[in-house]
Amino acid sequence: MMTFIRPRLRKPLRNALAGTVFAAAWALRGGNTSWLAIAIEVTVLVSAITMYVRAGEDNDEGALAGSRADERQKLLSIRSRALGWNFAMVAAFIGLSIAVAVKAAWWWPFLAIFAVAGFGYLLGLSNYGIAEEEPADDAGPRHPARSPAS
Amino acid sequence: MRNRVREQRTQREMSQAELAASLGVSRQTVISIESGRYLPSLPLAFAIARFFGLTVDKMFDPDEEEAGT
């Protein structure tokens, strides 16, 4: 879908779009905090420009920001995201425990994070391999594999 | 796992950037492979070996690390 956009522009544009949606949400909310929408939009635009500049650098961060990562850099990104997600899970667990302990009404968002993470994990297992497991091939010295021709 | 990427590259008087461009990877990845910090995927290992006209087992030697450690 984004292939018609230059690789260096893809992530900065995506982030700018996401930030703009968030800023629009604050603007729609109205009230005396609507000034936050402008502040968020300015921050998002500065961040997107910074990302675009960094995407031109000759290093791992630049390659990832510029959507031109090779296999090692993609692996680096996947591992970093997994670590980030682990931190989020620990934070959600601590938040859930505290919310339950103080009988707070805001316990469910933490549980929702766990549910989404669990679903994503199972979806990942299903998509990336577990579902493709095949029965063991018993071919060996005692059970030689048969040729379709024989 | 030791490899002969640096040795082969310097024999051909190539820079890391030139090798990276030939293999379609980043210069940082060539540096990581040469220093042994990153083990390339099988397709990339074959591409490296093929580029230098060697076999994968001549290019990457798991036994050498065991001897060195």
Side-chain angles (χ1 to χ4, degrees):
Chain A
M1 191 172 76
M2 295 185 81
T3 48
F4 60 92
I5 302 171
R6 282 175 53 203
R8 188 175 169 183
L9 266 172
R10 284 177 200 160
K11 282 187 182 170
L13 271 181
R14 191 187 64 191
N15 286 10
L17 190 66
T20 302
V21 168
F22 189 57
W26 276 100
L28 282 172
R29 181 187 163 110
N32 55 3
T33 56
S34 56
W35 61 271
L36 263 174
I38 299 165
I40 290 168
E41 190 57 35
V42 170
T43 308
V44 160
L45 290 177
V46 170
S47 163
I49 292 166
T50 308
M51 194 177 204
Y52 179 77
V53 172
R54 282 183 60 201
E57 293 173 0
D58 181 23
N59 53 35
D60 289 341
E61 290 82 3
L64 288 168
S67 302
R68 57 171 194 282
D70 63 20
E71 60 172 47
R72 185 187 60 85
Q73 290 160 333
K74 281 178 187 163
L75 186 65
L76 191 74
S77 172
I78 289 168
R79 283 180 174 170
S80 301
R81 270 188 280 172
L83 182 65
W85 193 242
N86 284 345
F87 280 146
M89 285 297 94
V90 170
F93 176 75
I94 292 169
L96 181 63
S97 301
I98 292 170
V100 168
V102 300
K103 294 180 183 172
W106 35 265
W107 56 270
W108 64 268
F110 296 112
L111 197 63
I113 293 172
F114 272 115
V116 169
F119 175 73
Y121 181 72
L122 292 175
L123 190 68
L125 288 181
S126 166
N127 275 353
Y128 304 131
I130 294 292
E132 291 174 6
E133 275 191 1
E134 290 176 9
D137 181 0
D138 289 334
R142 296 179 67 186
H143 305 281
R146 285 186 181 175
S147 163
S150 62
Chain B
M1 184 180 291
R2 291 260 182 94
N3 65 70
R4 295 186 172 79
V5 176
R6 188 190 300 270
E7 175 194 314
Q8 291 294 324
R9 178 179 62 76
T10 51
Q11 268 181 19
R12 285 161 176 77
E13 297 181 344
M14 284 183 85
S15 69
Q16 289 171 327
E18 286 168 340
L19 177 60
S22 302
L23 295 170
V25 297
S26 65
R27 188 177 53 83
Q28 291 80 17
T29 294
V30 169
I31 294 169
S32 296
I33 292 169
E34 284 187 353
S35 61
R37 286 198 308 273
Y38 175 67
L39 290 176
S41 67
L42 207 49
L44 181 55
F46 270 102
I48 293 168
R50 217 169 272 152
F51 181 81
F52 290 117
L54 296 171
T55 56
V56 172
D57 63 321
K58 287 271 192 290
M59 204 73 211
F60 299 91
D61 191 348
D63 296 332
E64 281 192 34
E65 187 196 39
E66 285 165 21
T69 51

